[in-house]
Amino acid sequence: MKINQHTTDHTFTLVLDGELDASSSVLLDTELNQPSILEYQKVLIDCQKLNYISSAGLGVFISHLQRFQDANVKLVFFNMQEKVHNVFEILGLDSLLTIVPSQAEATAI
């Protein structure tokens, strides 16, 4: 798993590349746990190259969700592959998290 980040004035974007499993979820947790991330209005998660997500990976997002909501930071997923989106749907996370098809839509939120 490779995780790249880039920022603009109000947006922090993480680009996930590869498989998000128990071992790589530690990297994601470290990225999302940065105190400075709460200074942004939005955290965008680019899932275009995310090929697989395990329950550990999902757990990392869920564990940070309340923290982001308390800080009024929007968490938005975009460019999600169908097989990864199906995992979110099966677990009902698509109704809990904001998932949009494109970066343009994620940016517009």
Side-chain angles (χ1 to χ4, degrees), residues 58-92:
L58 292 167
V60 169
F61 289 121
I62 298 303
S63 70
H64 288 278
L65 185 60
Q66 187 65 50
R67 181 172 154 251
F68 287 171
Q69 289 175 342
D70 290 346
N72 205 24
V73 176
K74 295 176 184 170
L75 178 63
V76 182
F77 298 80
F78 66 97
N79 285 341
M80 193 173 284
Q81 294 183 24
E82 187 174 336
K83 61 184 175 184
V84 173
H85 191 267
N86 286 343
V87 174
F88 281 77
E89 276 184 342
I90 289 168
L91 298 173

Side-chain angles (χ1 to χ4, degrees), residues 24-38:
S24 59
S25 65
V26 175
L27 297 171
L28 176 63
D29 188 54
T30 300
E31 293 288 341
L32 293 176
N33 213 16
Q34 299 177 49
S36 63
I37 202 168
L38 298 180

Side-chain angles (χ1 to χ4, degrees), residues 41-59:
Q41 295 176 353
K42 287 187 271 189
V43 174
L44 304 182
I45 310 294
D46 185 346
C47 300
Q48 185 171 20
K49 296 180 180 176
L50 178 64
N51 299 320
Y52 168 81
I53 188 166
S54 72
S55 58
L58 292 167

Side-chain angles (χ1 to χ4, degrees), residues 4-21:
N4 294 313
Q5 67 179 46
H6 54 89
T7 60
T8 62
D9 288 344
H10 305 292
T11 305
F12 183 96
T13 302
L14 286 178
V15 181
L16 306 181
D17 186 348
E19 297 184 352
L20 183 55
D21 56 18

